PDB file of all heavy atoms in Angstrom:
ATOM      1  N   ILE A   1      -5.904  47.977 -81.110  1.00 95.00           N
ATOM      2  CA  ILE A   1      -6.250  47.903 -79.710  1.00 95.00           C
ATOM      3  C   ILE A   1      -7.138  46.672 -79.583  1.00 95.00           C
ATOM      4  O   ILE A   1      -8.224  46.607 -80.271  1.00 95.00           O
ATOM      5  CB  ILE A   1      -6.913  49.218 -79.146  1.00 95.00           C
ATOM      6  CG1 ILE A   1      -5.886  50.233 -78.820  1.00 95.00           C
ATOM      7  CG2 ILE A   1      -7.753  48.893 -77.917  1.00 95.00           C
ATOM      8  CD1 ILE A   1      -6.471  51.538 -78.191  1.00 95.00           C
ATOM      9  N   ALA A   2      -6.874  45.782 -78.658  1.00 95.00           N
ATOM     10  CA  ALA A   2      -7.698  44.644 -78.333  1.00 95.00           C
ATOM     11  C   ALA A   2      -8.009  44.711 -76.817  1.00 95.00           C
ATOM     12  O   ALA A   2      -7.088  44.695 -75.983  1.00 95.00           O
ATOM     13  CB  ALA A   2      -6.989  43.302 -78.677  1.00 95.00           C
ATOM     14  N   ALA A   3      -9.338  44.814 -76.469  1.00 95.00           N
ATOM     15  CA  ALA A   3      -9.715  44.934 -75.063  1.00 95.00           C
ATOM     16  C   ALA A   3     -10.690  43.809 -74.763  1.00 95.00           C
ATOM     17  O   ALA A   3     -11.471  43.432 -75.575  1.00 95.00           O
ATOM     18  CB  ALA A   3     -10.397  46.321 -74.853  1.00 95.00           C
ATOM     19  N   ASP A   4     -10.630  43.495 -73.500  1.00 94.00           N
ATOM     20  CA  ASP A   4     -11.449  42.360 -72.999  1.00 94.00           C
ATOM     21  C   ASP A   4     -11.759  42.570 -71.483  1.00 94.00           C
ATOM     22  O   ASP A   4     -10.803  42.957 -70.808  1.00 94.00           O
ATOM     23  CB  ASP A   4     -10.832  40.977 -73.231  1.00 94.00           C
ATOM     24  CG  ASP A   4     -11.708  39.796 -72.898  1.00 94.00           C
ATOM     25  OD1 ASP A   4     -12.711  39.651 -73.726  1.00 94.00           O
ATOM     26  OD2 ASP A   4     -11.460  39.056 -72.013  1.00 94.00           O
ATOM     27  N   VAL A   5     -12.927  42.291 -71.032  1.00 94.00           N
ATOM     28  CA  VAL A   5     -13.291  42.472 -69.636  1.00 94.00           C
ATOM     29  C   VAL A   5     -12.651  41.346 -68.799  1.00 94.00           C
ATOM     30  O   VAL A   5     -12.846  40.182 -69.144  1.00 94.00           O
ATOM     31  CB  VAL A   5     -14.781  42.562 -69.414  1.00 94.00           C
ATOM     32  CG1 VAL A   5     -15.138  42.691 -67.973  1.00 94.00           C
ATOM     33  CG2 VAL A   5     -15.341  43.670 -70.265  1.00 94.00           C
ATOM     34  N   ALA A   6     -11.944  41.699 -67.728  1.00 92.00           N
ATOM     35  CA  ALA A   6     -11.367  40.703 -66.850  1.00 92.00           C
ATOM     36  C   ALA A   6     -12.441  40.062 -65.974  1.00 92.00           C
ATOM     37  O   ALA A   6     -13.153  40.759 -65.280  1.00 92.00           O
ATOM     38  CB  ALA A   6     -10.316  41.331 -65.988  1.00 92.00           C
ATOM     39  N   GLY A   7     -12.535  38.711 -65.978  1.00 91.00           N
ATOM     40  CA  GLY A   7     -13.469  38.029 -65.104  1.00 91.00           C
ATOM     41  C   GLY A   7     -14.948  38.246 -65.542  1.00 91.00           C
ATOM     42  O   GLY A   7     -15.855  38.252 -64.672  1.00 91.00           O
ATOM     43  N   TYR A   8     -15.240  38.407 -66.805  1.00 92.00           N
ATOM     44  CA  TYR A   8     -16.547  38.766 -67.246  1.00 92.00           C
ATOM     45  C   TYR A   8     -17.515  37.587 -66.967  1.00 92.00           C
ATOM     46  O   TYR A   8     -18.690  37.853 -66.599  1.00 92.00           O
ATOM     47  CB  TYR A   8     -16.490  39.092 -68.813  1.00 92.00           C
ATOM     48  CG  TYR A   8     -17.868  39.534 -69.326  1.00 92.00           C
ATOM     49  CD1 TYR A   8     -18.284  40.831 -69.073  1.00 92.00           C
ATOM     50  CD2 TYR A   8     -18.579  38.647 -70.098  1.00 92.00           C
ATOM     51  CE1 TYR A   8     -19.544  41.166 -69.603  1.00 92.00           C
ATOM     52  CE2 TYR A   8     -19.795  39.064 -70.695  1.00 92.00           C
ATOM     53  CZ  TYR A   8     -20.303  40.320 -70.418  1.00 92.00           C
ATOM     54  OH  TYR A   8     -21.509  40.680 -70.913  1.00 92.00           O
ATOM     55  N   SER A   9     -17.115  36.373 -67.205  1.00 92.00           N
ATOM     56  CA  SER A   9     -18.065  35.243 -67.029  1.00 92.00           C
ATOM     57  C   SER A   9     -18.501  35.167 -65.558  1.00 92.00           C
ATOM     58  O   SER A   9     -19.605  34.917 -65.228  1.00 92.00           O
ATOM     59  CB  SER A   9     -17.455  33.918 -67.434  1.00 92.00           C
ATOM     60  OG  SER A   9     -17.129  33.938 -68.808  1.00 92.00           O
ATOM     61  N   ARG A  10     -17.557  35.411 -64.632  1.00 93.00           N
ATOM     62  CA  ARG A  10     -17.889  35.361 -63.168  1.00 93.00           C
ATOM     63  C   ARG A  10     -18.824  36.500 -62.832  1.00 93.00           C
ATOM     64  O   ARG A  10     -19.843  36.267 -62.028  1.00 93.00           O
ATOM     65  CB  ARG A  10     -16.574  35.494 -62.321  1.00 93.00           C
ATOM     66  CG  ARG A  10     -16.792  35.526 -60.815  1.00 93.00           C
ATOM     67  CD  ARG A  10     -15.455  35.765 -60.118  1.00 93.00           C
ATOM     68  NE  ARG A  10     -14.863  37.012 -60.510  1.00 93.00           N
ATOM     69  CZ  ARG A  10     -15.157  38.188 -60.023  1.00 93.00           C
ATOM     70  NH1 ARG A  10     -16.125  38.295 -59.086  1.00 93.00           N
ATOM     71  NH2 ARG A  10     -14.481  39.256 -60.418  1.00 93.00           N
ATOM     72  N   LEU A  11     -18.625  37.673 -63.359  1.00 93.00           N
ATOM     73  CA  LEU A  11     -19.512  38.847 -63.093  1.00 93.00           C
ATOM     74  C   LEU A  11     -20.962  38.612 -63.635  1.00 93.00           C
ATOM     75  O   LEU A  11     -21.896  38.928 -62.879  1.00 93.00           O
ATOM     76  CB  LEU A  11     -18.912  40.103 -63.672  1.00 93.00           C
ATOM     77  CG  LEU A  11     -17.587  40.634 -63.128  1.00 93.00           C
ATOM     78  CD1 LEU A  11     -17.082  41.806 -63.898  1.00 93.00           C
ATOM     79  CD2 LEU A  11     -17.778  41.003 -61.599  1.00 93.00           C
ATOM     80  N   VAL A  12     -21.009  38.031 -64.773  1.00 92.00           N
ATOM     81  CA  VAL A  12     -22.344  37.701 -65.349  1.00 92.00           C
ATOM     82  C   VAL A  12     -23.023  36.619 -64.509  1.00 92.00           C
ATOM     83  O   VAL A  12     -24.256  36.670 -64.249  1.00 92.00           O
ATOM     84  CB  VAL A  12     -22.183  37.249 -66.817  1.00 92.00           C
ATOM     85  CG1 VAL A  12     -23.576  36.691 -67.357  1.00 92.00           C
ATOM     86  CG2 VAL A  12     -21.759  38.410 -67.592  1.00 92.00           C
ATOM     87  N   GLU A  13     -22.299  35.617 -64.065  1.00 92.00           N
ATOM     88  CA  GLU A  13     -23.009  34.578 -63.226  1.00 92.00           C
ATOM     89  C   GLU A  13     -23.463  35.129 -61.901  1.00 92.00           C
ATOM     90  O   GLU A  13     -24.532  34.759 -61.405  1.00 92.00           O
ATOM     91  CB  GLU A  13     -21.985  33.493 -63.013  1.00 92.00           C
ATOM     92  CG  GLU A  13     -22.476  32.288 -62.291  1.00 92.00           C
ATOM     93  CD  GLU A  13     -21.457  31.152 -62.028  1.00 92.00           C
ATOM     94  OE1 GLU A  13     -20.275  31.353 -62.448  1.00 92.00           O
ATOM     95  OE2 GLU A  13     -21.841  30.120 -61.556  1.00 92.00           O
ATOM     96  N   GLU A  14     -22.735  36.072 -61.316  1.00 91.00           N
ATOM     97  CA  GLU A  14     -23.123  36.629 -60.011  1.00 91.00           C
ATOM     98  C   GLU A  14     -24.360  37.587 -60.202  1.00 91.00           C
ATOM     99  O   GLU A  14     -25.324  37.511 -59.355  1.00 91.00           O
ATOM    100  CB  GLU A  14     -21.993  37.348 -59.385  1.00 91.00           C
ATOM    101  CG  GLU A  14     -20.898  36.452 -58.973  1.00 91.00           C
ATOM    102  CD  GLU A  14     -19.680  37.229 -58.380  1.00 91.00           C
ATOM    103  OE1 GLU A  14     -19.783  38.481 -58.440  1.00 91.00           O
ATOM    104  OE2 GLU A  14     -18.681  36.649 -57.943  1.00 91.00           O
ATOM    105  N   ASN A  15     -24.328  38.454 -61.222  1.00 92.00           N
ATOM    106  CA  ASN A  15     -25.454  39.360 -61.374  1.00 92.00           C
ATOM    107  C   ASN A  15     -25.419  39.756 -62.818  1.00 92.00           C
ATOM    108  O   ASN A  15     -24.708  40.648 -63.320  1.00 92.00           O
ATOM    109  CB  ASN A  15     -25.302  40.613 -60.536  1.00 92.00           C
ATOM    110  CG  ASN A  15     -26.508  41.418 -60.486  1.00 92.00           C
ATOM    111  OD1 ASN A  15     -27.401  41.359 -61.418  1.00 92.00           O
ATOM    112  ND2 ASN A  15     -26.718  42.275 -59.426  1.00 92.00           N
ATOM    113  N   GLU A  16     -26.253  39.093 -63.614  1.00 92.00           N
ATOM    114  CA  GLU A  16     -26.273  39.225 -65.047  1.00 92.00           C
ATOM    115  C   GLU A  16     -26.674  40.595 -65.495  1.00 92.00           C
ATOM    116  O   GLU A  16     -26.015  41.270 -66.325  1.00 92.00           O
ATOM    117  CB  GLU A  16     -27.116  38.121 -65.691  1.00 92.00           C
ATOM    118  CG  GLU A  16     -27.068  38.132 -67.228  1.00 92.00           C
ATOM    119  CD  GLU A  16     -27.939  36.984 -67.824  1.00 92.00           C
ATOM    120  OE1 GLU A  16     -28.698  36.406 -67.058  1.00 92.00           O
ATOM    121  OE2 GLU A  16     -27.847  36.779 -69.024  1.00 92.00           O
ATOM    122  N   GLU A  17     -27.830  41.101 -64.955  1.00 93.00           N
ATOM    123  CA  GLU A  17     -28.352  42.360 -65.514  1.00 93.00           C
ATOM    124  C   GLU A  17     -27.453  43.520 -65.090  1.00 93.00           C
ATOM    125  O   GLU A  17     -27.279  44.408 -65.919  1.00 93.00           O
ATOM    126  CB  GLU A  17     -29.795  42.602 -64.914  1.00 93.00           C
ATOM    127  CG  GLU A  17     -30.841  41.551 -65.421  1.00 93.00           C
ATOM    128  CD  GLU A  17     -32.184  41.908 -64.932  1.00 93.00           C
ATOM    129  OE1 GLU A  17     -32.337  42.817 -64.106  1.00 93.00           O
ATOM    130  OE2 GLU A  17     -33.149  41.129 -65.330  1.00 93.00           O
ATOM    131  N   ASP A  18     -26.994  43.543 -63.915  1.00 92.00           N
ATOM    132  CA  ASP A  18     -26.099  44.591 -63.508  1.00 92.00           C
ATOM    133  C   ASP A  18     -24.838  44.655 -64.254  1.00 92.00           C
ATOM    134  O   ASP A  18     -24.354  45.725 -64.656  1.00 92.00           O
ATOM    135  CB  ASP A  18     -25.829  44.446 -61.958  1.00 92.00           C
ATOM    136  CG  ASP A  18     -24.885  45.553 -61.469  1.00 92.00           C
ATOM    137  OD1 ASP A  18     -25.288  46.740 -61.504  1.00 92.00           O
ATOM    138  OD2 ASP A  18     -23.705  45.267 -61.159  1.00 92.00           O
ATOM    139  N   THR A  19     -24.291  43.477 -64.594  1.00 93.00           N
ATOM    140  CA  THR A  19     -23.064  43.459 -65.324  1.00 93.00           C
ATOM    141  C   THR A  19     -23.306  43.935 -66.782  1.00 93.00           C
ATOM    142  O   THR A  19     -22.482  44.661 -67.329  1.00 93.00           O
ATOM    143  CB  THR A  19     -22.566  41.966 -65.367  1.00 93.00           C
ATOM    144  OG1 THR A  19     -22.332  41.511 -64.020  1.00 93.00           O
ATOM    145  CG2 THR A  19     -21.265  41.819 -66.124  1.00 93.00           C
ATOM    146  N   LEU A  20     -24.398  43.484 -67.392  1.00 93.00           N
ATOM    147  CA  LEU A  20     -24.677  43.957 -68.741  1.00 93.00           C
ATOM    148  C   LEU A  20     -24.873  45.435 -68.781  1.00 93.00           C
ATOM    149  O   LEU A  20     -24.439  46.138 -69.754  1.00 93.00           O
ATOM    150  CB  LEU A  20     -25.904  43.158 -69.330  1.00 93.00           C
ATOM    151  CG  LEU A  20     -25.642  41.702 -69.602  1.00 93.00           C
ATOM    152  CD1 LEU A  20     -27.005  41.058 -70.067  1.00 93.00           C
ATOM    153  CD2 LEU A  20     -24.603  41.405 -70.618  1.00 93.00           C
ATOM    154  N   ARG A  21     -25.566  46.041 -67.822  1.00 94.00           N
ATOM    155  CA  ARG A  21     -25.833  47.452 -67.820  1.00 94.00           C
ATOM    156  C   ARG A  21     -24.572  48.240 -67.694  1.00 94.00           C
ATOM    157  O   ARG A  21     -24.289  49.157 -68.397  1.00 94.00           O
ATOM    158  CB  ARG A  21     -26.768  47.798 -66.574  1.00 94.00           C
ATOM    159  CG  ARG A  21     -27.093  49.274 -66.468  1.00 94.00           C
ATOM    160  CD  ARG A  21     -28.013  49.395 -65.329  1.00 94.00           C
ATOM    161  NE  ARG A  21     -27.491  48.887 -64.089  1.00 94.00           N
ATOM    162  CZ  ARG A  21     -26.614  49.478 -63.243  1.00 94.00           C
ATOM    163  NH1 ARG A  21     -26.147  50.627 -63.613  1.00 94.00           N
ATOM    164  NH2 ARG A  21     -26.278  48.858 -62.212  1.00 94.00           N
ATOM    165  N   ARG A  22     -23.665  47.840 -66.814  1.00 93.00           N
ATOM    166  CA  ARG A  22     -22.364  48.542 -66.590  1.00 93.00           C
ATOM    167  C   ARG A  22     -21.459  48.285 -67.867  1.00 93.00           C
ATOM    168  O   ARG A  22     -20.649  49.213 -68.194  1.00 93.00           O
ATOM    169  CB  ARG A  22     -21.748  48.070 -65.348  1.00 93.00           C
ATOM    170  CG  ARG A  22     -22.501  48.567 -64.079  1.00 93.00           C
ATOM    171  CD  ARG A  22     -21.674  48.328 -62.785  1.00 93.00           C
ATOM    172  NE  ARG A  22     -21.525  46.960 -62.471  1.00 93.00           N
ATOM    173  CZ  ARG A  22     -20.395  46.347 -62.370  1.00 93.00           C
ATOM    174  NH1 ARG A  22     -19.253  47.024 -62.498  1.00 93.00           N
ATOM    175  NH2 ARG A  22     -20.293  45.109 -61.952  1.00 93.00           N
ATOM    176  N   PHE A  23     -21.549  47.053 -68.504  1.00 94.00           N
ATOM    177  CA  PHE A  23     -20.738  46.854 -69.690  1.00 94.00           C
ATOM    178  C   PHE A  23     -21.196  47.797 -70.788  1.00 94.00           C
ATOM    179  O   PHE A  23     -20.328  48.266 -71.579  1.00 94.00           O
ATOM    180  CB  PHE A  23     -20.846  45.407 -70.134  1.00 94.00           C
ATOM    181  CG  PHE A  23     -20.115  45.133 -71.379  1.00 94.00           C
ATOM    182  CD1 PHE A  23     -18.661  45.033 -71.381  1.00 94.00           C
ATOM    183  CD2 PHE A  23     -20.757  44.865 -72.540  1.00 94.00           C
ATOM    184  CE1 PHE A  23     -17.966  44.789 -72.594  1.00 94.00           C
ATOM    185  CE2 PHE A  23     -20.112  44.657 -73.713  1.00 94.00           C
ATOM    186  CZ  PHE A  23     -18.697  44.564 -73.767  1.00 94.00           C
ATOM    187  N   ILE A  24     -22.439  48.044 -71.011  1.00 93.00           N
ATOM    188  CA  ILE A  24     -22.980  48.947 -72.001  1.00 93.00           C
ATOM    189  C   ILE A  24     -22.425  50.351 -71.808  1.00 93.00           C
ATOM    190  O   ILE A  24     -22.006  51.047 -72.712  1.00 93.00           O
ATOM    191  CB  ILE A  24     -24.476  48.839 -72.083  1.00 93.00           C
ATOM    192  CG1 ILE A  24     -24.918  47.461 -72.610  1.00 93.00           C
ATOM    193  CG2 ILE A  24     -24.962  49.949 -73.093  1.00 93.00           C
ATOM    194  CD1 ILE A  24     -26.383  47.278 -72.540  1.00 93.00           C
ATOM    195  N   ALA A  25     -22.447  50.804 -70.534  1.00 93.00           N
ATOM    196  CA  ALA A  25     -21.992  52.102 -70.215  1.00 93.00           C
ATOM    197  C   ALA A  25     -20.496  52.199 -70.479  1.00 93.00           C
ATOM    198  O   ALA A  25     -20.031  53.257 -71.072  1.00 93.00           O
ATOM    199  CB  ALA A  25     -22.239  52.435 -68.761  1.00 93.00           C
ATOM    200  N   ALA A  26     -19.742  51.226 -70.189  1.00 93.00           N
ATOM    201  CA  ALA A  26     -18.319  51.249 -70.419  1.00 93.00           C
ATOM    202  C   ALA A  26     -17.992  51.219 -71.855  1.00 93.00           C
ATOM    203  O   ALA A  26     -17.064  51.875 -72.415  1.00 93.00           O
ATOM    204  CB  ALA A  26     -17.565  50.088 -69.736  1.00 93.00           C
ATOM    205  N   SER A  27     -18.855  50.536 -72.649  1.00 93.00           N
ATOM    206  CA  SER A  27     -18.711  50.462 -74.152  1.00 93.00           C
ATOM    207  C   SER A  27     -18.900  51.824 -74.776  1.00 93.00           C
ATOM    208  O   SER A  27     -18.243  52.172 -75.762  1.00 93.00           O
ATOM    209  CB  SER A  27     -19.655  49.432 -74.763  1.00 93.00           C
ATOM    210  OG  SER A  27     -19.387  48.142 -74.203  1.00 93.00           O
ATOM    211  N   GLN A  28     -19.886  52.565 -74.273  1.00 94.00           N
ATOM    212  CA  GLN A  28     -20.160  53.978 -74.752  1.00 94.00           C
ATOM    213  C   GLN A  28     -18.918  54.859 -74.593  1.00 94.00           C
ATOM    214  O   GLN A  28     -18.508  55.605 -75.373  1.00 94.00           O
ATOM    215  CB  GLN A  28     -21.394  54.574 -74.090  1.00 94.00           C
ATOM    216  CG  GLN A  28     -22.655  53.822 -74.423  1.00 94.00           C
ATOM    217  CD  GLN A  28     -23.031  53.796 -75.884  1.00 94.00           C
ATOM    218  OE1 GLN A  28     -22.746  54.794 -76.554  1.00 94.00           O
ATOM    219  NE2 GLN A  28     -23.702  52.768 -76.308  1.00 94.00           N
ATOM    220  N   VAL A  29     -18.292  54.748 -73.386  1.00 93.00           N
ATOM    221  CA  VAL A  29     -17.024  55.538 -73.126  1.00 93.00           C
ATOM    222  C   VAL A  29     -15.995  55.020 -74.039  1.00 93.00           C
ATOM    223  O   VAL A  29     -15.221  55.862 -74.639  1.00 93.00           O
ATOM    224  CB  VAL A  29     -16.674  55.341 -71.624  1.00 93.00           C
ATOM    225  CG1 VAL A  29     -15.314  55.955 -71.403  1.00 93.00           C
ATOM    226  CG2 VAL A  29     -17.725  55.978 -70.708  1.00 93.00           C
ATOM    227  N   PHE A  30     -15.872  53.748 -74.255  1.00 94.00           N
ATOM    228  CA  PHE A  30     -14.863  53.189 -75.149  1.00 94.00           C
ATOM    229  C   PHE A  30     -15.020  53.784 -76.546  1.00 94.00           C
ATOM    230  O   PHE A  30     -14.041  54.273 -77.232  1.00 94.00           O
ATOM    231  CB  PHE A  30     -15.007  51.676 -75.165  1.00 94.00           C
ATOM    232  CG  PHE A  30     -13.746  50.966 -75.662  1.00 94.00           C
ATOM    233  CD1 PHE A  30     -12.953  50.215 -74.801  1.00 94.00           C
ATOM    234  CD2 PHE A  30     -13.427  50.935 -77.014  1.00 94.00           C
ATOM    235  CE1 PHE A  30     -11.838  49.529 -75.242  1.00 94.00           C
ATOM    236  CE2 PHE A  30     -12.295  50.216 -77.439  1.00 94.00           C
ATOM    237  CZ  PHE A  30     -11.528  49.517 -76.582  1.00 94.00           C
ATOM    238  N   LYS A  31     -16.215  53.787 -77.053  1.00 94.00           N
ATOM    239  CA  LYS A  31     -16.521  54.267 -78.429  1.00 94.00           C
ATOM    240  C   LYS A  31     -16.220  55.674 -78.560  1.00 94.00           C
ATOM    241  O   LYS A  31     -15.678  56.126 -79.584  1.00 94.00           O
ATOM    242  CB  LYS A  31     -17.960  53.908 -78.787  1.00 94.00           C
ATOM    243  CG  LYS A  31     -18.318  54.317 -80.180  1.00 94.00           C
ATOM    244  CD  LYS A  31     -19.779  53.952 -80.506  1.00 94.00           C
ATOM    245  CE  LYS A  31     -20.171  54.279 -81.970  1.00 94.00           C
ATOM    246  NZ  LYS A  31     -21.588  53.933 -82.162  1.00 94.00           N
ATOM    247  N   ALA A  32     -16.542  56.512 -77.635  1.00 94.00           N
ATOM    248  CA  ALA A  32     -16.364  58.001 -77.706  1.00 94.00           C
ATOM    249  C   ALA A  32     -14.873  58.325 -77.761  1.00 94.00           C
ATOM    250  O   ALA A  32     -14.426  59.138 -78.494  1.00 94.00           O
ATOM    251  CB  ALA A  32     -17.055  58.636 -76.600  1.00 94.00           C
ATOM    252  N   LEU A  33     -14.071  57.674 -76.860  1.00 94.00           N
ATOM    253  CA  LEU A  33     -12.681  57.919 -76.868  1.00 94.00           C
ATOM    254  C   LEU A  33     -11.943  57.427 -78.123  1.00 94.00           C
ATOM    255  O   LEU A  33     -10.979  58.092 -78.612  1.00 94.00           O
ATOM    256  CB  LEU A  33     -11.963  57.249 -75.592  1.00 94.00           C
ATOM    257  CG  LEU A  33     -12.324  57.909 -74.274  1.00 94.00           C
ATOM    258  CD1 LEU A  33     -11.818  57.082 -73.073  1.00 94.00           C
ATOM    259  CD2 LEU A  33     -11.841  59.355 -74.259  1.00 94.00           C
ATOM    260  N   VAL A  34     -12.346  56.333 -78.672  1.00 94.00           N
ATOM    261  CA  VAL A  34     -11.769  55.907 -79.913  1.00 94.00           C
ATOM    262  C   VAL A  34     -12.027  56.927 -81.089  1.00 94.00           C
ATOM    263  O   VAL A  34     -11.107  57.195 -81.866  1.00 94.00           O
ATOM    264  CB  VAL A  34     -12.425  54.543 -80.326  1.00 94.00           C
ATOM    265  CG1 VAL A  34     -12.100  54.193 -81.793  1.00 94.00           C
ATOM    266  CG2 VAL A  34     -11.924  53.434 -79.410  1.00 94.00           C
ATOM    267  N   GLN A  35     -13.229  57.544 -81.141  1.00 93.00           N
ATOM    268  CA  GLN A  35     -13.469  58.507 -82.102  1.00 93.00           C
ATOM    269  C   GLN A  35     -12.654  59.778 -81.869  1.00 93.00           C
ATOM    270  O   GLN A  35     -12.221  60.418 -82.822  1.00 93.00           O
ATOM    271  CB  GLN A  35     -14.949  58.878 -82.108  1.00 93.00           C
ATOM    272  CG  GLN A  35     -15.835  57.758 -82.695  1.00 93.00           C
ATOM    273  CD  GLN A  35     -17.342  58.051 -82.625  1.00 93.00           C
ATOM    274  OE1 GLN A  35     -17.707  59.133 -82.150  1.00 93.00           O
ATOM    275  NE2 GLN A  35     -18.097  57.173 -83.181  1.00 93.00           N
ATOM    276  N   ASP A  36     -12.490  60.167 -80.589  1.00 93.00           N
ATOM    277  CA  ASP A  36     -11.631  61.366 -80.287  1.00 93.00           C
ATOM    278  C   ASP A  36     -10.156  61.208 -80.757  1.00 93.00           C
ATOM    279  O   ASP A  36      -9.553  62.204 -81.033  1.00 93.00           O
ATOM    280  CB  ASP A  36     -11.714  61.625 -78.803  1.00 93.00           C
ATOM    281  CG  ASP A  36     -13.120  62.064 -78.300  1.00 93.00           C
ATOM    282  OD1 ASP A  36     -13.857  62.403 -79.209  1.00 93.00           O
ATOM    283  OD2 ASP A  36     -13.405  61.923 -77.167  1.00 93.00           O
TER     284      ASP A  36
END
């Protein structure tokens, strides 16, 4: 599985902290489902 965020550079440029916070939350969901 290869995953990548669509338009990540644009989201970081508009609001860097909010984008990073939501990306970390999505990564935790990603990791849990992979283990399941």
Side-chain angles (χ1 to χ4, degrees):
I1 279 182
D4 189 66
V5 178
Y8 183 76
S9 300
R10 178 183 59 83
L11 295 175
V12 171
E13 185 180 2
E14 292 177 356
N15 193 335
E16 184 178 13
E17 293 182 358
D18 179 67
T19 301
L20 292 177
R21 178 178 55 80
R22 290 192 292 121
F23 176 73
I24 293 174
S27 298
Q28 296 298 327
V29 174
F30 199 107
K31 183 178 180 180
L33 288 175
V34 168
Q35 292 178 355
D36 293 343

